[in-house]
Amino acid sequence: MSETAPAPLTGRGRPEAEADVIVVGAGPSGSTAAYYLAQAGLDVLLLEKTAFPREKVCGDGLTPRAVKQLTAMGVSLDDEGWIRNHGLRIIGGGVRLELPWPDLAEYPGFGLVRTRDDFDRILVERAVSAGARLLERTNVTGPVTDPRSNRIVGVTATDPDREPVTYRAPLVVAADGNSSRLSVGMGIRKRDDRPMGVAVRTYFTSPRHDDDYLESWLELWDNSQGREVLLPGYGWVFGVGDGTSNVGLGILNSTSSFQGVDYRALLRRWTESMPAEWGFTEENQQGKIRGAALPMGFNRVPHYTRGLMLVGDAGGMINPFNGEGIAYAMEAGRLAADVIAQAHSRPTQQSRERTLLSYPRILSDTYGGYYTLGRYFVKMIGNPELMKYATKYGLPQRTLMQFALKMLANLTEPSRGDAMDRVINGLSKMAPAA
């Protein structure tokens, strides 16, 4: 039987458990999608399993890509709690290099830091202010499908009292993170040929809390297996501005030692090696060391099928080059909302479905080649000898590192850029789509 989209609902006289679109998960991707969908006049039900504010494992650092999305959503960046940074400080191979964010028309010239419990709350408030209906402590347990078409037509969940409930909509956006119960329920599983990472972090009371550069350490050595192994990944120190620093590390699965690493112990050993005056000590630690998976390079596809659209970590949208997820989550949420709004306006079931099926193609055109380059990069840095060579001879070359910053952070002018921009854009277009 051919797949057809059900007729759009009008929103008039509809029960509270029905909507034009259900968005599952109120992280950056879900809240951004809900914001733009509501702005387009759609009735949006935003379901979140926890309540705000709530903690998320993250470096809390935002590049200019994410800042651009915040500005587009009308978030005030002059309020208390935002700490601006001027660029990236790279440390490795005996070199300490400060690289300002590139001066571009496409993106602002600064980044930000803000903790996720506060950051996510700000985004969800923007979605609610635009008209989205937020239900907190609502844990989605699976999809509801039409037995005739096998399309998703809603979700099952438990409400704050743990009572079973059902919500219905002709379209559902899965913004439910790396595990994405909805995707699994619809038969969309992860791809093993895509990179995966692990991030662990904690907070320390530190005099470095107001650092105006994001700091990245490129050499992570692990000796837990009886020999020194250079791991593919980096450590970070991001000043939060509230008296604490977010200190953590991210490791990629591109080496055989990935499974055997005790990441929390590695973070403890790493922080113990830091200068004492920075305060990265056990008595200054604020909260536990917490970890999370980093799904990269479109590790779950298709991004649209049978009424279900994937955004953010649910679709494996983290940048393989640098582990950045928030900017791409927000961009994907905005793209998804635009496609859904366009589909909603189409007069027939067939034309609506044809529009919805354009979403994976748009994602591929936007990120596919760049993410393929990222996969090649992940394989390269999985070679310890190559990593040591690159750190030793590449870091002292400032022009090369400025190019690397643009490449790794995906910060270029789409047109009329400089020579670096043209090379990066050209490589992304030439690479096969992810």
Side-chain angles (χ1 to χ4, degrees):
M1 181 180 293
S2 62
E3 296 179 7
T4 57
L9 300 172
T10 64
R12 296 190 180 93
R14 170 188 295 142
E16 291 185 2
E18 294 183 2
D20 291 325
V21 186
I22 293 172
V23 179
V24 180
S29 61
S31 290
T32 302
Y35 170 81
Y36 285 107
L37 287 167
Q39 279 217 321
L42 278 72
D43 181 23
V44 186
L45 192 57
L46 180 57
L47 307 179
E48 167 59 36
K49 66 180 179 181
T50 62
F52 292 93
R54 52 103 170 98
E55 186 179 16
K56 282 285 186 178
V57 177
C58 185
D60 301 332
L62 305 168
T63 70
R65 283 192 80 97
V67 177
K68 178 180 180 178
Q69 295 304 313
L70 290 170
T71 302
M73 287 180 65
V75 174
S76 174
L77 304 181
D78 295 324
D79 295 344
E80 184 178 352
W82 298 103
I83 177 169
R84 298 194 179 199
N85 55 72
H86 303 309
L88 182 66
R89 181 183 303 117
I90 300 174
I91 297 173
V95 175
R96 182 180 184 273
L97 186 64
E98 288 190 350
L99 298 170
W101 297 119
D103 183 16
L104 304 170
E106 183 72 11
Y107 300 101
F110 63 94
L112 296 165
V113 174
R114 188 149 190 157
T115 58
R116 284 291 301 276
D117 58 347
D118 206 15
F119 178 83
D120 288 15
R121 178 185 57 80
I122 290 169
L123 292 191
V124 80
E125 286 176 353
R126 293 300 298 155
V128 171
S129 70
R133 294 185 283 139
L134 172 67
L135 295 182
E136 299 178 283
R137 297 190 177 91
T138 302
N139 186 26
V140 172
T141 53
V144 176
T145 57
D146 183 331
R148 296 168 300 174
S149 64
N150 202 28
R151 291 181 63 89
I152 190 169
V153 292
V155 297
T156 56
T158 56
D159 66 13
D161 296 322
R162 298 186 178 180
E163 294 295 324
V165 289
T166 299
Y167 301 98
R168 293 186 177 274
L171 285 169
V172 178
V173 175
D176 51 346
N178 171 59
S179 58
S180 191
R181 183 178 293 181
L182 266 185
S183 301
V184 174
M186 291 291 288
I188 310 173
R189 301 188 180 276
K190 294 177 183 176
R191 295 183 57 163
D192 294 332
D193 61 343
R194 295 293 185 262
M196 177 67 76
V198 171
V200 293
R201 67 97 176 98
T202 190
Y203 296 90
F204 293 98
T205 301
S206 171
R208 297 198 57 194
H209 73 98
D210 57 355
D211 193 349
D212 59 358
Y213 270 75
L214 300 179
E215 187 168 283
S216 177
W217 293 61
L218 299 188
E219 292 181 305
L220 292 176
W221 294 91
D222 178 44
N223 59 5
S224 61
Q225 301 179 45
R227 58 189 179 88
E228 286 282 328
V229 176
L230 181 61
L231 299 173
Y234 65 92
W236 70 75
V237 179
F238 298 164
V240 180
D242 62 354
T244 66
S245 292
N246 181 317
V247 183
L249 52 87
I251 306 294
L252 293 161
N253 67 344
S254 55
T255 64
S256 58
S257 58
F258 176 79
Q259 299 295 337
V261 176
D262 184 336
Y263 305 104
R264 289 169 174 79
L266 178 62
L267 179 59
R268 284 192 291 269
R269 290 195 300 271
W270 185 59
T271 54
E272 287 170 359
S273 71
M274 299 293 190
E277 60 269 22
W278 292 359
F280 299 159
T281 60
E282 187 174 351
E283 55 269 25
N284 288 337
Q285 185 174 326
Q286 304 296 311
K288 298 179 180 179
I289 296 175
R290 299 189 63 195
L294 303 176
M296 299 176 172
F298 293 160
N299 80 331
R300 185 183 273 118
V301 292
H303 290 119
Y304 172 76
T305 183
R306 294 174 289 141
L308 182 69
M309 193 169 283
L310 277 55
V311 294
D313 285 4
M317 296 181 183
I318 291 177
N319 182 348
F321 279 105
N322 65 358
E324 179 183 10
I326 290 177
Y328 301 93
M330 295 180 71
E331 290 173 8
R334 188 174 185 176
L335 288 170
D338 182 63
V339 170
I340 292 171
Q342 293 298 325
H344 189 79
S345 70
R346 298 297 191 263
T348 66
Q349 295 177 353
Q350 288 78 10
S351 61
R352 284 192 289 275
E353 186 67 6
R354 187 164 57 246
T355 302
L356 293 168
L357 286 167
S358 71
Y359 175 66
R361 184 177 68 251
I362 292 170
L363 287 177
S364 181
D365 290 346
T366 305
Y367 307 113
Y370 177 77
Y371 278 3
T372 295
L373 294 176
R375 297 206 318 271
Y376 297 156
F377 173 78
V378 167
K379 290 180 180 179
M380 288 172 57
I381 66 172
N383 183 327
E385 293 304 317
L386 180 60
M387 185 66 176
K388 282 188 283 187
Y389 184 89
T391 301
K392 181 177 180 180
Y393 295 104
L395 281 178
Q397 308 301 318
R398 187 174 183 87
T399 300
L400 177 61
M401 294 311 297
Q402 288 172 331
F403 175 85
L405 176 62
K406 283 193 167 190
M407 182 77 173
L408 272 60
N410 199 10
L411 293 172
T412 63
E413 301 284 17
S415 61
R416 300 183 182 275
D418 62 17
M420 293 182 184
D421 296 345
R422 292 193 294 273
V423 169
I424 294 169
N425 295 338
L427 289 172
S428 297
K429 290 177 181 178
M430 290 169 57

